[in-house]
Amino acid sequence: MDIQQLRTFVAVAREGSITRASERIHLSQPAVSAHIKAMEETLGLSLFERTPRGMDLTPDGERLLARAEQTLGAHRELLEEATRIKGSLTGRLRLGMGCNSGPEALGRLMTGFAERYPQVDVVLRHGTSRSVAEEIRSGGLDAGFYNETDRPGDELNVVDVSRFAIYLAVPPGTVAVKDEPDWQKLAELPWICPAPDTCCGETAEALFRRYNFRPARIISVDREQVTRTLIAGGVGVGLLHAEAARSAEAVGEVDLICEAHPAARLVFAYLKERDDDPLLQAARSIVTASN
């Protein structure tokens, strides 16, 4: 039995579903099923009961779950201790940061490295979400934070930092707020959008395709605060992350027309093939401890 099988067991137990567990740990559903089957055969125990609702732990599975979580915690601590035994962690971590991608998470990681590994040189580069992901894949960056509206590629190890909705916002009183937006009327207004390779840009392009329209004018803006200010000033229509959208609505700056994307994610990612890299193990440990 390997450590990945234990991770899979805990994920299925916590999610209650093969499908949700596969999304959480970024393995295919057949791979998750194979891990559970291998564990059950190795232990000679039935760990789950398959039901119409999903996967329910058996009494034996319940007894083993706490032990499995303790083992995973011990494994993580062992790796951290091994790093300390080998000596102070040194080197350079090239870190990417997508536009509007959660400065709090970045701050916690930078603070964690400064406190625990002061000899590591963290080099920060900003870019769009897509450019950060592409730089990680090409080796130009070691890891990064970026917003994701789709499934990441199988070549990446991804930690979900947070989830958020994206809302379509308009200046107050511009259009009637109703169950179904009038897309043709909205198409006549200027749209304030970041580049298509950002999460809000991708969401806007998805709306254009889904409802078969293209705004007569697009104003390119790459900072959410500027977008909010322009919408509040009556310049046009724009997309805002949930926190900014609700805040702007609460003070009467905007009307929210609809939820344009229900579950965008802020993620921390790096290449799977570098999973044993001590710098990336340290970074992941800090990020997951902050969640």
Side-chain angles (χ1 to χ4, degrees), residues 27-101:
L27 290 177
S28 68
Q29 292 182 38
V32 171
S33 297
H35 283 181
I36 297 301
K37 182 180 179 182
M39 273 193 69
E40 290 181 327
E41 290 177 349
T42 299
L43 298 172
L45 297 171
S46 177
L47 301 175
F48 291 97
E49 179 184 358
R50 282 70 172 173
T51 72
R53 299 188 309 276
M55 302 286 282
D56 291 342
L57 282 168
T58 63
D60 291 336
E62 288 276 7
R63 291 179 62 183
L64 290 177
L65 177 60
R67 291 290 187 184
E69 292 179 322
Q70 290 171 3
T71 301
L72 290 176
H75 177 261
R76 185 167 54 251
E77 291 171 2
L78 184 148
L79 293 176
E80 292 173 353
E81 182 65 18
T83 299
R84 287 190 286 269
I85 291 172
K86 285 187 294 185
S88 298
L89 194 61
T90 61
R92 184 174 68 157
L93 179 68
R94 298 166 302 167
L95 190 65
M97 185 68 183
C99 299
N100 307 310
S101 294

Side-chain angles (χ1 to χ4, degrees), residues 270-288:
Y270 58 91
L271 285 172
K272 283 184 178 177
E273 65 188 42
R274 298 187 58 191
D275 204 28
D276 293 332
D277 187 310
L279 279 175
L280 294 176
Q281 288 179 354
R284 182 186 180 110
S285 177
I286 294 169
V287 171
T288 54

Side-chain angles (χ1 to χ4, degrees), residues 30-287:
V32 171
S33 297
H35 283 181
I36 297 301
K37 182 180 179 182
M39 273 193 69
E40 290 181 327
E41 290 177 349
T42 299
L43 298 172
L45 297 171
S46 177
L47 301 175
F48 291 97
E49 179 184 358
R50 282 70 172 173
T51 72
R53 299 188 309 276
M55 302 286 282
D56 291 342
L57 282 168
T58 63
D60 291 336
E62 288 276 7
R63 291 179 62 183
L64 290 177
L65 177 60
R67 291 290 187 184
E69 292 179 322
Q70 290 171 3
T71 301
L72 290 176
H75 177 261
R76 185 167 54 251
E77 291 171 2
L78 184 148
L79 293 176
E80 292 173 353
E81 182 65 18
T83 299
R84 287 190 286 269
I85 291 172
K86 285 187 294 185
S88 298
L89 194 61
T90 61
R92 184 174 68 157
L93 179 68
R94 298 166 302 167
L95 190 65
M97 185 68 183
C99 299
N100 307 310
S101 294
E104 297 85 2
L106 173 65
R108 289 192 295 268
L109 179 59
M110 299 285 281
T111 300
F113 265 98
E115 292 175 348
R116 303 183 200 180
Y117 313 108
Q119 296 185 55
V120 172
D121 181 20
V122 180
V123 179
L124 181 63
R125 287 192 233 157
H126 287 87
T128 64
S129 290
R130 189 181 302 171
S131 70
V132 170
E134 289 174 353
E135 281 283 286
I136 294 170
R137 291 187 178 97
S138 69
L141 290 170
D142 300 308
F145 292 97
Y146 61 89
N147 294 328
E148 179 67 81
T149 58
D150 203 350
R151 287 183 61 86
D154 291 338
E155 71 277 19
L156 295 179
N157 265 337
V158 173
V159 177
D160 281 1
V161 178
S162 63
R163 290 177 179 260
F164 56 93
I166 298 173
Y167 286 89
L168 181 61
V170 300
T174 303
V175 297
V177 178
K178 53 186 179 180
D179 291 340
E180 180 60 32
D182 185 341
W183 295 106
Q184 292 310 311
K185 181 166 182 60
L186 289 171
E188 298 171 2
L189 301 173
W191 279 59
I192 305 159
C193 294
D197 56 354
T198 62
C199 72
C200 284
E202 290 176 349
T203 300
E205 292 294 330
L207 289 175
F208 302 156
R209 291 191 299 270
R210 187 184 313 154
Y211 298 105
N212 194 30
F213 74 94
R214 193 83 191 171
R217 182 185 178 201
I218 293 178
I219 301 170
S220 182
V221 171
D222 65 356
R223 289 292 181 269
E224 184 177 52
Q225 184 56 52
V226 178
T227 299
R228 174 176 172 173
T229 299
L230 292 178
I231 298 171
V235 174
V237 179
L239 293 162
L240 297 173
H241 295 179
E243 183 177 358
R246 292 301 186 193
S247 172
E249 181 187 45
V251 295
E253 291 180 355
V254 306
D255 288 339
L256 300 184
I257 298 300
C258 68
E259 191 177 71
H261 194 294
R265 299 179 298 152
L266 169 62
V267 302
F268 175 76
Y270 58 91
L271 285 172
K272 283 184 178 177
E273 65 188 42
R274 298 187 58 191
D275 204 28
D276 293 332
D277 187 310
L279 279 175
L280 294 176
Q281 288 179 354
R284 182 186 180 110
S285 177
I286 294 169
V287 171

